[in-house]
Amino acid sequence: MTRKKTNNPEAFFYALNNLTDATIRERLSEFQARWIQSHVPTLFHRADLRPAAVLVPLLRKDNGWHLLFTKRTSRVQNHKGQVAFPGGAIEPGDPSVESAALRETWEEIGVDAYHITLLGQLPTLVSVTHYLIYPVVGKMAWPVTIHPSEEEVEKVFTIPLVWLAQSHHLEREMRPTPEGTLHEVLYFAPYRGEQVWGITARIVYLLLQALGIVPDDRTSEGKQNWMLV
């Protein structure tokens, strides 16, 4: 994949917002293939992990790409009050991880599969709550009527992809796991009062990597080099 560096954020924003569905699908496929080749799939042999699927909903809004998030209520079992993607445990009756992600999306925010075009998957991740997470990327029709589950979802909102792609909005911190080991936690700056962090932030970062739009580190002058494809 050929990338060009530029200090022109407007050019970066334009390139990002004009990614096509076909380009996104192609880059997700290529990224997944490279990831599988370079990572040993030892996670799948851990008996303590419960499989789960989440939908990573891309949508077109205000002439650009956005990601849709939910904020969980205080009544759910895990991740109370946190920002997340629609998703949950894969049930025995789910024929595939994609089906599980679509079912959970319907149950949590009332958007059925008819309004979602699947584009691909991101690498499987493990959460500190011992879930083996399969992120499924899909394009959600927009605008669409949202019916949040009163039990599970406090609110639904979107964040522009160009905002998430700006390096000064992302921070990293080493934190201990329940087992006592250290792991890197990602935090995005609050966006209109809501903060994306933890496993959800990690999924967002993987998506940015897959699409080839994660910016380089800042230069010594403190300016950001934008990666364009």
Side-chain angles (χ1 to χ4, degrees), residues 21 52 61 63 97 115 122 133-134 138 170 194 209:
D21 296 9
K61 179 182 177 183
N63 298 315
V97 296
H115 298 288
L122 290 166
I133 301 175
Y134 295 84
L170 179 67
E194 303 298 343
Q209 286 183 304

PDB file of all heavy atoms in Angstrom, residues 21 52 61 63 97 115 122 133-134 138 170 194 209:
ATOM      1  N   ASP A  21     -17.001   2.451  -0.385  1.00  0.00           N
ATOM      2  CA  ASP A  21     -17.316   1.170   0.248  1.00  0.00           C
ATOM      3  C   ASP A  21     -16.381   0.082  -0.257  1.00  0.00           C
ATOM      4  O   ASP A  21     -15.895  -0.753   0.512  1.00  0.00           O
ATOM      5  CB  ASP A  21     -18.757   0.761  -0.051  1.00  0.00           C
ATOM      6  CG  ASP A  21     -19.779   1.717   0.536  1.00  0.00           C
ATOM      7  OD1 ASP A  21     -19.392   2.790   1.029  1.00  0.00           O
ATOM      8  OD2 ASP A  21     -20.975   1.385   0.493  1.00  0.00           O
ATOM      9  N   ALA A  52     -17.503 -13.394  21.638  1.00  0.00           N
ATOM     10  CA  ALA A  52     -18.455 -12.288  21.513  1.00  0.00           C
ATOM     11  C   ALA A  52     -18.237 -11.606  20.170  1.00  0.00           C
ATOM     12  O   ALA A  52     -17.149 -11.685  19.586  1.00  0.00           O
ATOM     13  CB  ALA A  52     -18.281 -11.294  22.658  1.00  0.00           C
ATOM     14  N   LYS A  61     -22.406  10.732   7.210  1.00  0.00           N
ATOM     15  CA  LYS A  61     -23.129  11.809   7.866  1.00  0.00           C
ATOM     16  C   LYS A  61     -22.361  13.108   7.661  1.00  0.00           C
ATOM     17  O   LYS A  61     -21.129  13.128   7.794  1.00  0.00           O
ATOM     18  CB  LYS A  61     -23.273  11.500   9.358  1.00  0.00           C
ATOM     19  CG  LYS A  61     -23.999  12.559  10.179  1.00  0.00           C
ATOM     20  CD  LYS A  61     -24.031  12.144  11.647  1.00  0.00           C
ATOM     21  CE  LYS A  61     -24.678  13.202  12.519  1.00  0.00           C
ATOM     22  NZ  LYS A  61     -24.656  12.831  13.963  1.00  0.00           N
ATOM     23  N   ASN A  63     -21.470  14.663   5.028  1.00  0.00           N
ATOM     24  CA  ASN A  63     -20.487  14.526   3.940  1.00  0.00           C
ATOM     25  C   ASN A  63     -19.196  13.842   4.377  1.00  0.00           C
ATOM     26  O   ASN A  63     -18.126  14.102   3.815  1.00  0.00           O
ATOM     27  CB  ASN A  63     -20.158  15.901   3.334  1.00  0.00           C
ATOM     28  CG  ASN A  63     -21.369  16.552   2.710  1.00  0.00           C
ATOM     29  OD1 ASN A  63     -22.127  15.913   1.985  1.00  0.00           O
ATOM     30  ND2 ASN A  63     -21.576  17.831   2.996  1.00  0.00           N
ATOM     31  N   VAL A  97     -20.316 -15.242  13.297  1.00  0.00           N
ATOM     32  CA  VAL A  97     -20.020 -14.052  14.102  1.00  0.00           C
ATOM     33  C   VAL A  97     -20.747 -12.839  13.527  1.00  0.00           C
ATOM     34  O   VAL A  97     -21.177 -11.949  14.278  1.00  0.00           O
ATOM     35  CB  VAL A  97     -18.494 -13.797  14.190  1.00  0.00           C
ATOM     36  CG1 VAL A  97     -17.813 -14.941  14.913  1.00  0.00           C
ATOM     37  CG2 VAL A  97     -17.869 -13.589  12.814  1.00  0.00           C
ATOM     38  N   HIS A 115     -30.685  -2.703   7.127  1.00  0.00           N
ATOM     39  CA  HIS A 115     -30.076  -1.372   7.045  1.00  0.00           C
ATOM     40  C   HIS A 115     -28.549  -1.401   7.169  1.00  0.00           C
ATOM     41  O   HIS A 115     -27.919  -0.347   7.283  1.00  0.00           O
ATOM     42  CB  HIS A 115     -30.651  -0.472   8.139  1.00  0.00           C
ATOM     43  CG  HIS A 115     -32.127  -0.246   8.029  1.00  0.00           C
ATOM     44  ND1 HIS A 115     -32.686   0.542   7.049  1.00  0.00           N
ATOM     45  CD2 HIS A 115     -33.160  -0.722   8.776  1.00  0.00           C
ATOM     46  CE1 HIS A 115     -33.997   0.562   7.190  1.00  0.00           C
ATOM     47  NE2 HIS A 115     -34.312  -0.194   8.229  1.00  0.00           N
ATOM     48  N   LEU A 122     -12.283  -7.139  11.548  1.00  0.00           N
ATOM     49  CA  LEU A 122     -11.004  -6.728  12.106  1.00  0.00           C
ATOM     50  C   LEU A 122     -10.433  -7.881  12.926  1.00  0.00           C
ATOM     51  O   LEU A 122     -11.157  -8.827  13.249  1.00  0.00           O
ATOM     52  CB  LEU A 122     -11.182  -5.485  12.975  1.00  0.00           C
ATOM     53  CG  LEU A 122     -11.518  -4.190  12.228  1.00  0.00           C
ATOM     54  CD1 LEU A 122     -11.999  -3.124  13.201  1.00  0.00           C
ATOM     55  CD2 LEU A 122     -10.329  -3.698  11.424  1.00  0.00           C
ATOM     56  N   ILE A 133     -13.270 -11.287  21.326  1.00  0.00           N
ATOM     57  CA  ILE A 133     -14.142 -10.369  20.586  1.00  0.00           C
ATOM     58  C   ILE A 133     -13.841 -10.390  19.088  1.00  0.00           C
ATOM     59  O   ILE A 133     -12.699 -10.198  18.668  1.00  0.00           O
ATOM     60  CB  ILE A 133     -13.998  -8.932  21.133  1.00  0.00           C
ATOM     61  CG1 ILE A 133     -14.372  -8.917  22.616  1.00  0.00           C
ATOM     62  CG2 ILE A 133     -14.870  -7.963  20.348  1.00  0.00           C
ATOM     63  CD1 ILE A 133     -14.142  -7.587  23.288  1.00  0.00           C
ATOM     64  N   TYR A 134     -14.903 -10.596  18.309  1.00  0.00           N
ATOM     65  CA  TYR A 134     -14.822 -10.561  16.852  1.00  0.00           C
ATOM     66  C   TYR A 134     -15.459  -9.255  16.368  1.00  0.00           C
ATOM     67  O   TYR A 134     -16.682  -9.116  16.380  1.00  0.00           O
ATOM     68  CB  TYR A 134     -15.569 -11.740  16.235  1.00  0.00           C
ATOM     69  CG  TYR A 134     -14.978 -13.092  16.544  1.00  0.00           C
ATOM     70  CD1 TYR A 134     -15.295 -13.756  17.730  1.00  0.00           C
ATOM     71  CD2 TYR A 134     -14.110 -13.710  15.660  1.00  0.00           C
ATOM     72  CE1 TYR A 134     -14.756 -14.999  18.023  1.00  0.00           C
ATOM     73  CE2 TYR A 134     -13.564 -14.960  15.943  1.00  0.00           C
ATOM     74  CZ  TYR A 134     -13.895 -15.594  17.120  1.00  0.00           C
ATOM     75  OH  TYR A 134     -13.364 -16.832  17.406  1.00  0.00           O
ATOM     76  N   GLY A 138     -19.444  -2.837   9.431  1.00  0.00           N
ATOM     77  CA  GLY A 138     -20.568  -2.704   8.508  1.00  0.00           C
ATOM     78  C   GLY A 138     -20.914  -1.251   8.261  1.00  0.00           C
ATOM     79  O   GLY A 138     -20.649  -0.383   9.104  1.00  0.00           O
ATOM     80  N   LEU A 170      -5.545  10.970  20.847  1.00  0.00           N
ATOM     81  CA  LEU A 170      -5.323   9.625  21.365  1.00  0.00           C
ATOM     82  C   LEU A 170      -4.191   9.600  22.379  1.00  0.00           C
ATOM     83  O   LEU A 170      -3.134  10.188  22.154  1.00  0.00           O
ATOM     84  CB  LEU A 170      -4.983   8.667  20.211  1.00  0.00           C
ATOM     85  CG  LEU A 170      -4.704   7.206  20.588  1.00  0.00           C
ATOM     86  CD1 LEU A 170      -5.967   6.542  21.113  1.00  0.00           C
ATOM     87  CD2 LEU A 170      -4.157   6.443  19.397  1.00  0.00           C
ATOM     88  N   GLU A 194     -18.311  12.509  25.866  1.00  0.00           N
ATOM     89  CA  GLU A 194     -18.220  11.053  25.902  1.00  0.00           C
ATOM     90  C   GLU A 194     -16.813  10.607  25.525  1.00  0.00           C
ATOM     91  O   GLU A 194     -16.223  11.135  24.580  1.00  0.00           O
ATOM     92  CB  GLU A 194     -19.239  10.424  24.938  1.00  0.00           C
ATOM     93  CG  GLU A 194     -20.674  10.825  25.199  1.00  0.00           C
ATOM     94  CD  GLU A 194     -21.176  10.384  26.570  1.00  0.00           C
ATOM     95  OE1 GLU A 194     -20.548   9.507  27.191  1.00  0.00           O
ATOM     96  OE2 GLU A 194     -22.202  10.929  27.026  1.00  0.00           O
ATOM     97  N   GLN A 209      -5.934   1.700  11.403  1.00  0.00           N
ATOM     98  CA  GLN A 209      -4.787   1.035  10.789  1.00  0.00           C
ATOM     99  C   GLN A 209      -5.189   0.311   9.516  1.00  0.00           C
ATOM    100  O   GLN A 209      -4.502   0.390   8.492  1.00  0.00           O
ATOM    101  CB  GLN A 209      -4.180   0.040  11.776  1.00  0.00           C
ATOM    102  CG  GLN A 209      -3.391   0.651  12.908  1.00  0.00           C
ATOM    103  CD  GLN A 209      -2.776  -0.417  13.797  1.00  0.00           C
ATOM    104  OE1 GLN A 209      -3.465  -1.267  14.330  1.00  0.00           O
ATOM    105  NE2 GLN A 209      -1.456  -0.378  13.931  1.00  0.00           N
TER     106      GLN A 209
END
